[in-house]
């Protein structure tokens, strides 16, 4: 594991050592924890208990997604993910997130001791990560945190039990969109999990869910309020909705947009943006929604933004309208800048 020491040199610190030294680690996932977050959190708790049978790990997230709750009901009905963890933990582990902001309002101030914080994640690196955690396992090339967990189990020589294998495979299936995003290592990890007892069909089925009524209404309303912006041949769709912004973005992409940006201000001093783009858009333009759009938007709304190239968001407090029109300019500017410099055109 990479650990940055004071003079900037990287040194190896054993994950095993950190876990064996901890009596009560707190294992955190991002806000509205998705199946990749929840499943990697439980797998991490199991790994910890194997190394430290007397320890008491606690799991926490600022809410878990509806789909995660279904996965938990199927595979781990007894498992508790707290929204209000106890204080006094001697080790923090952040899974499937690398920024304080993504922990959500109730948990973002919890990370205070970088020397006692581990980040395990596959998102675009957060430039301020050193302020949060000295111990980092960040693999942007991996399509899920659960896949990173498979590697960690094997590195530490811990056998994966059948139920943990089900969880890790479910998290991988979710984040890879049923192996749409996968390389040979991803598929090898999946086979390893099936050989450890994971039931592939049961995992796939655990992720089948129809959006609930309010989410479908939000998607339809967002579609009804859509504005279409043409940038060369690309179609950017923007809309406003105060709930299910990410789902509304996916809906607009399904309807035919190359890029979707949906924002809302569900309450005074709360401004949120979500964005999605097709893989084709990113491959042909090189425009990353995380670094080219949402990081700047985060500043405008007096909060923070970031994420993946194809899926990113921002949370803040102010300037909703300004940020909405700025988002269109940012995309336009980034497309023009990046596609003119390499000679290709849209
Ligand atoms: Mn993930």
């Amino acid at each position: 594991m990479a650990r940055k020491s004071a003079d900037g040199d990287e040194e190896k610190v054993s994950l095993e050592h950190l876990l064996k030294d901890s009596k009560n680690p707190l294992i955190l996932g991002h806000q509205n924890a998705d199946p990749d977050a929840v499943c990697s959190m439980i797998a991490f708790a199991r790994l910890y208990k194997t190394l430290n049978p007397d320890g008491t790990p606690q799991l926490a997230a600022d809410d878990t997604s509806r789909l995660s709750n279904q996965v938990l009901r199927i595979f781990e009905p007894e498992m508790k993910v707290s929204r209000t963890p106890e204080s006094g933990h001697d080790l923090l582990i952040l899974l499937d997130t690398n920024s304080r902001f993504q922990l959500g309002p109730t948990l973002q101030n919890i990370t205070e001791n970088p020397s006692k914080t581990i980040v395990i994640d596959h998102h675009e690196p957060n430039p301020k990560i050193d302020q949060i955690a000295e111990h980092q396992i960040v693999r942007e090339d991996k399509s899920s945190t659960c896949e990173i967990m498979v590697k960690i189990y094997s590195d530490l020589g811990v056998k994966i039990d059948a139920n943990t294998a089900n969880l890790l495979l479910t998290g991988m299936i979710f984040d890879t969109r049923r192996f749409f995003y996968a390389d040979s290592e991803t598929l090898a990890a999946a086979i390893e999990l099936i050989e450890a007892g994971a039931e592939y069909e049961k995992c796939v089925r655990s992720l089948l869910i129809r959006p609930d009524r309010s989410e479908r209404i939000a998607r339809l309303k967002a579609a009804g309020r859509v504005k279409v912006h043409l940038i060369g041949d690309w179609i950017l769709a923007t809309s406003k909705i105060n709930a299910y912004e990410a789902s509304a973005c996916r809906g607009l992409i399904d309807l035919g947009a190359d890029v979707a940006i949906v924002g809302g201000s569900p309450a005074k001093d709360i401004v949120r943006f979500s964005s999605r783009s097709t893989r084709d858009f990113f491959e042909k333009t090189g425009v990353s929604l995380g670094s080219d759009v949402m990081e700047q938007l985060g500043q405008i709304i007096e909060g923070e933004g970031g994420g993946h190239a194809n899926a990113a968001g921002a949370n803040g407090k102010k300037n909703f309208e300004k940020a909405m029109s700025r988002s269109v300019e940012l995309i336009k500017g980034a497309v023009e800048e990046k596609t003119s410099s390499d000679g290709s055109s849209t």
Side-chain angles (χ1 to χ4, degrees):
M1 180 167 40
R3 176 190 190 273
K4 294 231 175 59
S5 62
D7 58 9
D9 284 346
E10 293 212 337
E11 56 183 276
K12 287 280 180 195
V13 169
S14 145
L15 177 64
E16 195 172 352
H17 206 234
L18 282 166
L19 296 185
K20 282 185 171 164
D21 274 354
S22 168
K23 290 189 175 65
N24 60 342
L26 178 60
I27 300 167
L28 293 169
H30 56 76
Q31 185 174 19
N32 194 33
D34 64 15
D36 186 37
V38 167
C39 293
S40 58
M41 287 160 69
I42 298 170
F44 195 91
R46 294 257 161 76
L47 176 74
Y48 168 78
K49 284 293 276 182
T50 309
L51 297 171
N52 200 339
D54 298 329
T56 31
Q58 190 178 18
L59 272 57
D62 192 341
D63 217 352
T64 47
S65 76
R66 182 164 162 263
L67 188 53
S68 292
N69 293 339
Q70 174 169 295
V71 169
L72 288 174
R73 270 197 306 279
I74 291 168
F75 290 114
E76 295 285 340
E78 306 293 317
M79 189 59 65
K80 293 275 169 290
V81 179
S82 170
R83 286 190 80 168
T84 50
E86 294 150 21
S87 55
H89 291 275
D90 58 9
L91 186 66
L92 283 177
I93 302 100
L94 269 63
L95 283 155
D96 203 34
T97 178
N98 61 37
S99 95
R100 201 180 297 253
F101 216 79
Q102 284 163 1
L103 293 176
T106 63
L107 293 171
Q108 60 187 256
N109 296 320
I110 211 160
T111 57
E112 268 157 14
N113 186 352
S115 71
K116 290 287 181 189
T117 304
I118 303 169
V119 166
I120 301 173
D121 188 35
H122 68 120
H123 292 87
E124 254 182 46
N126 165 14
K128 294 183 201 155
I129 190 170
D130 291 342
Q131 295 171 17
I132 302 172
E134 285 182 13
H135 313 285
Q136 303 158 13
I137 301 174
V138 178
R139 292 289 305 269
E140 213 190 333
D141 58 318
K142 293 291 170 200
S143 43
S144 65
T145 301
C146 283
E147 185 185 338
I148 301 174
M149 284 305 305
V150 175
K151 176 84 169 48
I152 292 174
Y153 264 82
S154 117
D155 287 350
L156 296 181
V158 177
K159 194 173 168 291
I160 299 176
D161 64 83
N163 219 18
T164 305
N166 271 321
L167 292 170
L168 290 173
L169 186 59
T170 300
M172 285 178 63
I173 292 168
F174 177 74
D175 256 28
T176 61
R177 294 175 57 197
R178 293 191 209 163
F179 301 110
F180 189 89
Y181 303 112
D183 57 18
S184 60
E185 287 181 7
T186 307
L187 297 174
I191 289 167
E192 190 182 329
L193 292 171
I194 289 166
E195 285 172 353
E199 299 156 87
Y200 179 70
E201 190 178 333
K202 188 175 177 187
C203 296
V204 172
R205 284 187 189 281
S206 77
L207 294 168
L208 298 179
I209 199 167
R210 187 159 195 235
D212 70 19
R213 187 171 174 274
S214 54
E215 182 170 349
R216 285 181 278 128
I217 291 171
R219 278 183 164 221
L220 291 165
K221 280 188 177 171
R225 296 171 189 164
V226 73
K227 285 195 179 138
V228 176
H229 313 262
L230 303 178
I231 305 170
D233 287 340
W234 301 110
I235 304 169
L236 164 63
T238 60
S239 190
K240 294 176 198 176
I241 193 84
N242 291 333
Y244 301 107
E245 296 90 342
S247 175
C249 283
R250 291 193 298 272
L252 294 174
I253 296 280
D254 286 345
L255 283 175
D258 297 295
V259 185
I261 298 178
V262 175
S265 181
K268 191 178 175 288
D269 289 336
I270 296 180
V271 170
R272 296 192 301 233
F273 279 90
S274 193
S275 62
R276 293 289 185 279
S277 66
T278 61
R279 181 167 260 220
D280 190 43
F281 174 78
F282 175 62
E283 282 174 356
K284 297 214 170 108
T285 65
V287 174
S288 163
L289 295 175
S291 55
D292 291 321
V293 183
M294 287 297 154
E295 283 180 16
Q296 289 91 319
L297 225 57
Q299 291 177 1
I300 295 170
I301 60 177
E302 295 181 18
E304 229 177 289
H308 295 282
N310 290 107
N315 289 286
K317 294 181 282 198
K318 293 196 162 62
N319 305 327
F320 172 74
E321 292 296 341
K322 186 180 165 195
M324 184 54 111
S325 55
R326 186 80 186 113
S327 71
V328 178
E329 293 165 15
L330 281 167
I331 299 255
K332 222 174 220 168
V335 168
E336 280 161 10
E337 186 194 332
K338 298 206 177 195
T339 53
S340 67
S341 61
D342 67 11
S344 66
S345 70
T346 54

